[in-house]
Amino acid sequence: MTASILWFTEIGIDDIGQVGGKNASLGEMVSALADHGVRVPGGFATTADAYHRFLAGGGLYDRIMAAVMPLDVSDVTELARTGAMIRGWIEQQPFPADLETEIRDAYTRLVRDDPDPDGVSWAVRSSATAEDLPDASFAGQQETFLNISGIDNLLEAIRSVFASLFNDRAIAYRVHHRFAHDEVALSAGIQRMVRSDVGASGVLFTVDTESGFADAVFITSSYGLGETVVQGAVNPDEFYVYKPGVRAGRPAILSRSLGEKAVQMVYAGGASTSTSTVFIDVEPADRARFSITDDEVHELARHALTIEEHYGRAMDIEWARDGVDGLLYIVQARPETVVSRAGAVLRRFTLRERSEVLVTGRAIGQKVGAGPVRVLDSIAHMDRFQPGDVLVADMTDPDWEPIMKRASAIVTNRGGRTCHAAIIARELGIPAVVGTGDATSTLVDSTDVTVSCSEGDEGRVYRGRLAVDEVETTLDAMPPLATKLMMNVGTPDQAFSFAQLPNRGVGLARLEFIINTQVGIHPRALLERDVLPDDLRAVVDARTAAYGSPRDYFVQRVSEGVAMIAAAFAPEPVIVRLSDFKTNEYAGLIGGTRYEPDEENPMLGWRGASRYASEEFRASFALECAAMRRVRDDMGLTNVELMIPFVRTVAELEAVIAELAANGLRRGENGLRIIMMCEIPSNAITAAAFLEHVDGFSIGSNDLTQLTLGVDRDSALVAGSFDERDPAVLALLAMAIDACRAAGKYIGICGQGPSDHPDLADWLVDRGIESMSLNPDTVVETWMRLAKREAASSV
């Protein structure tokens, strides 16, 4: 007789046919990874044979097949009626006597050595024999029941798990993915509950789910049981962790985002499938801090690498922290099935126009969709939904999937990047904006909108249907190119995506962009927090509450912003320009008006090198240096190089070099290269003197053109005279290039000119430029054009 019960210690990955993908993976980890420190709660699984025996009684199987085989799943009303009928049959079906005895005996063995057997609770998880395959995840199709206590409740939960194979969404999913209903069986996994109800839990991926970047672990976390994250009931904390840093034992968190975490799921008083859990509000103080520590983030990342290396592929993993014993556990692991299906073709979407932004949230995918808004508060109204509509809902769960398959885009109030709506949107290949907070109340039913996930981490819903360009690049077909094409990268959240383009690194990462988006507070307001007015101090305290101190807030936020870019492009160089805020721009930061002078012409005022070398800004500049030192020395991202902007004189440059060294950033130490922006005519005219103190120039053609021609680049009145190809500008460009080549030092350009003017790019190549740093949307076109030009010249 075939086995009806298998213990996790008896199960391996080859047993998917008997216990399904989820339970096979649990058994594999229990058997193979425990010695590597991966903790998986123990338990047992019912087998596919047990499921078939259960359905065989009373002709139930034949009745189910007769009902489901002719079903048209596009008729959502009939789908709902048939699914409910089949589930009712299963939930009323008695267990075969011998099967029930085996389950009861296994439960007795489970609790035999427990000092409080009645106090132990269990998770009863579904595991389909077709799930977690490389081309279909089946994620969330069947039910899981948490905090189940007692054998009678356990039997009820197993029966409900069996019934969930015929949820509406599971029936439709099998049809859409061409799985025959009679080829899929269900296994119920009975696993000891981790007390994350008083701890934390979440989901992690061993690959970036948006870009496919393979060197990062993406972790989400929230308080309570993990269903809140999976369902999208909360906006969780999010972390990106750098795999090479984890392997090297270094600090490896590339970015962190504090989620709202408004509710958590905890145990309820009951222990049956309908009364075992309940949602409660999270205390405001807990919302304002991260739900897991940095040490726990790193431990989860180590477990993720162990699991990924064992399976040899990207993984989707659920984890939980027990609030009683304080330990981290892995409760599920399955192959990641969306990014892993992506090929070597990169598609980029660009809006050709803009309109009013109606709502914003977390961008899922990198596409753009448009259509009429359809606000639904319940799947009971699914008959209102037409193909091509934009689905707008508070949140989704697997019951919504028949609607989601018809949507041009999805927008939800709640949820993070690993919520149900996000997972299904990726699988369907449609854009989604999740965690907006107010989409259902802000977006108006039947009005046209454009949902854009092509502009970085923030997804935006625009009024009306906007024109969109789509560019397709076959990445494995790029021709060789002698000139190094680098990129200008402003915001860290697009770094993983941009790094998929052909490149030789980043020629300009603007630190002021990172400070503006990641920090938002004037550095002196952080350093002088204790003497701020009460109202301003309250704002600073609210922003920095999740960090050890205001200083830590600045250093961590800035270093992680830079590290995100550096990791994305490693081992290629990433040239980080130190903050080049002008006084009016610094004044725009929180608290900035307290510290910034009012200048008539900020463009020519207190900016760049003159600021770093001043007594008034010394402590603030030390914060920048501390952040850069953390990236290079602590995190090990030594591909980061530093660039000094707007240097007027050699004496000014010497003062900045000395200030950097005093803050632990010595040129040449730990491979540190220091580049200078060449953007003032004096830089090119006396280039040799400046080059004695730095490792090369990066030409800033915008300011150089402005200052050479005396044209305010921000003034529409004289904009027609602004041209980087003017003979006077070209003469200065030639001086800078020739001086660097004569000194054997780096020479690149990071201004707008080569992106806007192909003929200027050609001139620079002919003159001997080493690298050009371009806007990302022009890299592929410029690469192909220059490669064709090189090939023609070599004939």
Side-chain angles (χ1 to χ4, degrees), residues 267-540:
Y267 289 178
S272 69
T273 57
S274 60
T275 63
S276 61
T277 58
V278 66
F279 286 103
I280 63 170
D281 291 338
V282 174
E283 292 295 326
D286 289 332
R287 297 184 196 184
R289 63 181 178 87
F290 290 104
S291 49
I292 52 177
T293 66
D294 285 9
D295 286 345
E296 288 169 334
V297 172
H298 285 98
E299 182 178 345
L300 285 170
R302 289 193 295 273
H303 291 335
L305 292 186
T306 299
I307 294 168
E308 181 181 56
E309 288 162 7
H310 179 76
Y311 283 93
R313 59 172 300 142
M315 299 295 289
D316 169 359
I317 300 167
E318 293 182 29
W319 63 271
R321 185 190 71 210
D322 193 304
V324 177
D325 64 22
L327 299 177
L328 294 168
Y329 294 86
I330 302 300
V331 295
Q332 286 190 40
R334 62 177 71 88
E336 189 283 327
T337 60
V338 177
V339 174
S340 59
R341 293 204 301 264
V345 175
L346 180 71
R347 291 181 176 86
R348 295 192 59 81
F349 296 78
T350 306
L351 292 176
R352 279 189 289 166
E353 54 185 337
R354 297 288 192 281
S355 65
E356 179 188 0
V357 176
L358 302 175
V359 297
T360 62
R362 304 307 296 270
I364 304 302
Q366 297 171 12
K367 295 185 178 180
V368 177
V373 167
R374 195 67 59 205
V375 180
L376 297 183
D377 58 12
S378 166
I379 58 169
H381 303 137
M382 66 171 62
D383 57 315
R384 295 176 45 219
F385 198 85
Q386 300 300 313
D389 286 354
V390 173
L391 173 61
V392 180
D394 181 53
M395 56 182 278
T396 67
D397 61 36
D399 290 327
W400 290 74
E401 289 175 29
I403 303 174
M404 299 168 80
K405 289 180 171 69
R406 294 188 254 163
S408 61
I410 299 168
V411 184
T412 67
N413 291 341
R414 295 190 281 167
R417 286 184 176 171
T418 56
C419 72
H420 175 266
I423 291 171
I424 298 305
R426 290 188 196 100
E427 189 163 314
L428 296 175
I430 60 175
V433 177
V434 301
T436 64
D438 60 355
T440 55
S441 59
T442 301
L443 301 180
V444 178
D445 209 66
S446 300
T447 59
D448 283 344
V449 297
T450 298
V451 179
S452 173
C453 296
S454 66
E455 302 168 84
D457 183 60
E458 183 179 74
R460 298 167 184 162
V461 180
Y462 292 91
R463 185 183 301 280
R465 293 177 183 253
L466 304 181
V468 180
D469 288 328
E470 179 180 354
V471 177
E472 184 176 295
T473 305
T474 304
L475 298 179
D476 57 4
M478 298 299 294
L481 182 65
T483 304
K484 298 175 183 176
L485 288 193
M486 306 173 84
M487 267 185 265
N488 302 331
V489 177
T491 54
D493 56 43
Q494 293 183 286
F496 289 167
S497 174
F498 289 154
Q500 307 308 303
L501 293 166
N503 72 85
R504 295 296 300 275
V506 174
L508 174 61
R510 300 176 176 93
L511 200 61
E512 65 271 12
F513 280 22
I514 295 171
I515 293 172
N516 193 48
T517 58
Q518 301 284 99
V519 178
I521 303 172
H522 195 285
R524 284 191 62 181
L526 294 169
L527 291 169
E528 300 172 22
R529 177 262 176 202
D530 293 344
V531 297
L532 296 177
D534 291 347
D535 57 344
L536 182 54
R537 185 167 62 248
V539 173
V540 170

Side-chain angles (χ1 to χ4, degrees), residues 436-710:
T436 64
D438 60 355
T440 55
S441 59
T442 301
L443 301 180
V444 178
D445 209 66
S446 300
T447 59
D448 283 344
V449 297
T450 298
V451 179
S452 173
C453 296
S454 66
E455 302 168 84
D457 183 60
E458 183 179 74
R460 298 167 184 162
V461 180
Y462 292 91
R463 185 183 301 280
R465 293 177 183 253
L466 304 181
V468 180
D469 288 328
E470 179 180 354
V471 177
E472 184 176 295
T473 305
T474 304
L475 298 179
D476 57 4
M478 298 299 294
L481 182 65
T483 304
K484 298 175 183 176
L485 288 193
M486 306 173 84
M487 267 185 265
N488 302 331
V489 177
T491 54
D493 56 43
Q494 293 183 286
F496 289 167
S497 174
F498 289 154
Q500 307 308 303
L501 293 166
N503 72 85
R504 295 296 300 275
V506 174
L508 174 61
R510 300 176 176 93
L511 200 61
E512 65 271 12
F513 280 22
I514 295 171
I515 293 172
N516 193 48
T517 58
Q518 301 284 99
V519 178
I521 303 172
H522 195 285
R524 284 191 62 181
L526 294 169
L527 291 169
E528 300 172 22
R529 177 262 176 202
D530 293 344
V531 297
L532 296 177
D534 291 347
D535 57 344
L536 182 54
R537 185 167 62 248
V539 173
V540 170
D541 287 350
R543 285 278 191 117
T544 62
Y547 297 81
S549 68
R551 181 187 185 280
D552 290 345
Y553 171 76
F554 184 99
V555 173
Q556 249 180 253
R557 297 287 290 175
V558 172
S559 64
E560 288 171 4
V562 171
M564 194 84 164
I565 301 172
F569 288 86
E572 298 289 354
V574 170
I575 302 175
V576 177
R577 185 177 71 187
L578 297 167
S579 64
D580 194 22
F581 279 120
K582 304 166 192 70
T583 50
N584 60 321
E585 293 167 338
Y586 254 126
L589 297 177
I590 293 170
T593 55
R594 290 174 56 85
Y595 307 107
E596 294 299 321
D598 185 13
E599 293 187 296
E600 289 292 329
N601 189 350
M603 184 74 76
L604 295 179
W606 195 35
R607 59 179 289 201
S610 64
R611 183 178 282 265
Y612 313 148
S614 68
E615 183 61 35
E616 297 92 333
F617 200 72
R618 176 168 282 120
S620 298
F621 186 57
L623 291 182
E624 287 186 36
C625 293
M628 296 304 97
R629 199 169 60 247
R630 183 172 186 267
V631 172
R632 287 182 45 83
D633 298 345
D634 298 344
M635 302 182 74
L637 289 161
T638 54
N639 61 321
V640 166
E641 302 177 351
L642 301 183
M643 182 154 65
I644 305 171
F646 220 77
V647 184
R648 293 178 170 94
T649 66
V650 173
E652 204 171 62
L653 177 60
E654 290 176 325
V656 175
I657 294 290
E659 198 67 27
L660 286 169
N663 282 282
L665 294 167
R666 294 174 180 83
R667 178 181 166 211
E669 192 171 284
N670 199 16
L672 175 60
R673 288 208 314 175
I674 296 178
I675 309 298
M676 192 188 98
M677 285 283 282
C678 177
E679 55 190 335
I680 301 173
S682 62
N683 301 154
I685 294 168
T686 56
F690 285 103
L691 286 170
E692 290 180 11
H693 304 281
V694 293
D695 295 291
F697 280 171
S698 180
I699 298 168
S701 59
N702 292 344
D703 271 344
L704 185 62
T705 302
Q706 172 177 248
L707 296 173
T708 302
L709 301 180

